[in-house]
């Protein structure tokens, strides 16, 4: 039976597929950590109150990258190079979503509009991350090898999503509502395309590693295309809506550590 649980169990049980999965995840998290760190350093003077929260976001992402590397070490595995077609973070940047790395490498302060762009991009991508980690938490929260990591990362992703909602609403009340709506719609529509392409690429690599028959690979590809069709029609709206979260000031404190992994 094809299911998300069976798929991930198959990836988890094989060293090579698990190595690729953790390598892709670690690379994306580490890249997110760098991006947030640079944004925190470049926040404009009239938005400096956001800098500690952005830095906390980046510290969480760095921690997640270390956790995935630690999971590899626990199995006696080393990371592998990430295939470019599976690099979600870099493909989003290539599609013009979020703040360009060229801008982040400069020392020029960002504008409030840049902050809106960053938060809209984060709100969309953290929705995806939160949903994915909740799926893994539902099936693997008690797993002896990865359960603790899944629970910790899932909680962090929920915090990141709550933070994005709250800060975007605050900026909307300050008069940036239309810019936020435009940025969220643009980001959401681009993200679902990139997510589809990355998912197809990852499944292609996993299929070759695990020796899937063509029929099985075709079923997974059909499922990915079906999800994209739904998201293109209406599902993207869940990524572009805003509501005040139950978790208020979710990134208001210091980042939690992960001594059991890192």
């Amino acid at each position: 039976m094809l299911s998300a649980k069976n798929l991930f169990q198959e990836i988890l049980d094989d060293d090579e597929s698990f190595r690729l999965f953790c390598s892709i995840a670690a690379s994306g998290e580490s890249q997110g950590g760098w991006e947030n760190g640079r944004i925190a350093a470049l926040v404009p003077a009239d938005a400096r109150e956001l800098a500690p929260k952005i830095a906390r976001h980046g510290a969480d992402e760095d921690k997640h990258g270390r956790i995935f590397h630690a999971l590899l070490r626990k199995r006696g595995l080393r990371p592998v190079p990430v295939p470019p077609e599976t690099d979600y973070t870099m493909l989003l940047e290539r599609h013009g979503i979020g703040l360009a790395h060229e801008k982040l490498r400069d020392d020029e302060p960002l504008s409030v509009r840049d902050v809106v762009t960053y938060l809209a991009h984060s709100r969309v991508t953290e929705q995806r991350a939160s949903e994915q980690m909740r799926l893994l938490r539902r099936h693997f929260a008690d797993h002896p090898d990865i359960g603790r990591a899944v629970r910790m990362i899932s909680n962090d992703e929920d915090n990141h999503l709550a933070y994005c909602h709250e800060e975007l609403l605050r900026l909307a009340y300050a008069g940036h509502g239309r810019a936020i709506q435009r940025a969220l719609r643009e980001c959401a529509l681009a993200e679902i395309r990139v997510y589809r392409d990355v998912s197809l690429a990852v499944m292609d690599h996993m299929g070759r590693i695990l020796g899937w028959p063509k029929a099985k690979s075709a079923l997974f590809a059909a499922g990915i295309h079906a999800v994209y069709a739904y998201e293109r029609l209406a599902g993207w709206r869940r990524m572009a809506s805003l509501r005040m979260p139950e978790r208020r000031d979710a990134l208001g404190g210091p980042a939690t550590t992960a001594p059991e992994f890192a």
Side-chain angles (χ1 to χ4, degrees):
M1 177 181 177
L2 297 182
S3 69
K5 181 179 181 180
N6 290 341
L7 168 62
F8 192 76
Q9 188 67 60
E10 192 173 355
I11 292 171
L12 179 63
D13 289 343
D14 181 89
D15 280 350
E16 288 306 306
S17 58
F18 185 69
R19 186 158 75 140
L20 178 60
F21 171 83
C22 287
S23 298
I24 292 171
S27 175
E29 296 285 359
S30 298
Q31 189 63 50
W34 176 83
E35 290 174 358
N36 279 277
R38 289 302 300 153
I39 293 167
L42 299 174
V43 166
D46 48 357
R48 288 307 300 171
E49 71 281 358
L50 272 177
K53 297 180 181 181
I54 299 172
R56 160 76 185 275
H57 190 177
D60 284 346
E61 303 286 4
D62 282 334
K63 177 184 69 179
H64 299 168
R66 295 195 304 272
I67 288 173
F68 283 113
H69 281 298
L71 290 174
L72 286 173
R73 288 196 302 273
K74 189 175 181 180
R75 294 256 296 250
L77 302 172
R78 296 179 63 84
V80 294
V82 175
E85 65 273 18
T86 69
D87 195 331
Y88 173 80
T89 304
M90 293 306 298
L91 287 171
L92 283 174
E93 188 205 1
R94 202 168 295 164
H95 282 73
I97 300 304
L99 297 177
H101 287 183
E102 182 179 351
K103 178 187 283 285
L104 297 182
R105 291 188 184 97
D106 288 341
D107 290 325
E108 289 293 318
L110 300 174
S111 66
V112 174
R113 189 177 189 87
D114 290 329
V115 172
V116 167
T117 297
Y118 150 70
L119 283 170
H121 167 252
S122 295
R123 184 262 176 274
V124 169
T125 56
E126 293 299 340
Q127 177 80 37
R128 183 73 71 186
S130 177
E131 290 172 354
Q132 289 181 323
M133 291 310 303
R134 286 184 186 186
L135 178 64
L136 289 179
R137 187 172 64 193
R138 183 158 62 247
H139 296 304
F140 295 97
D142 297 323
H143 191 279
D145 294 326
I146 66 167
R148 189 178 296 167
V150 165
R151 294 193 304 271
M152 178 178 289
I153 296 173
S154 180
N155 183 67
D156 287 345
E157 301 297 6
D158 288 347
N159 281 339
H160 299 166
L161 183 58
Y163 145 78
C164 292
H165 276 278
E166 187 171 5
E167 296 304 330
L168 282 168
L169 284 171
R170 185 180 61 79
L171 285 168
Y173 295 145
H176 301 279
R178 289 191 177 183
I180 290 169
Q181 288 178 341
R182 286 195 300 271
L184 284 172
R185 186 179 189 279
E186 179 183 351
C187 285
L189 291 173
E191 193 278 342
I192 64 172
R193 290 194 300 273
V194 170
Y195 181 72
R196 175 201 60 191
D197 294 344
V198 167
S199 297
L200 290 169
V202 170
M203 287 300 101
D204 181 60
H205 282 277
M206 293 300 178
R208 279 185 271 131
I209 290 171
L210 296 169
W212 289 344
K214 288 184 178 180
K216 184 173 181 177
S217 295
L219 278 175
F220 278 126
I224 291 167
H225 283 294
V227 169
Y228 172 73
Y230 162 72
E231 291 193 329
R232 185 66 183 84
L233 180 65
W236 65 270
R237 298 180 190 277
R238 78 190 189 285
M239 297 179 162
S241 62
L242 292 175
R243 68 181 187 283
M244 189 57 70
E246 293 182 9
R247 299 187 185 194
R248 303 293 294 274
D249 197 26
L251 297 187
T256 56
T257 58
E260 65 269 45
F261 299 109

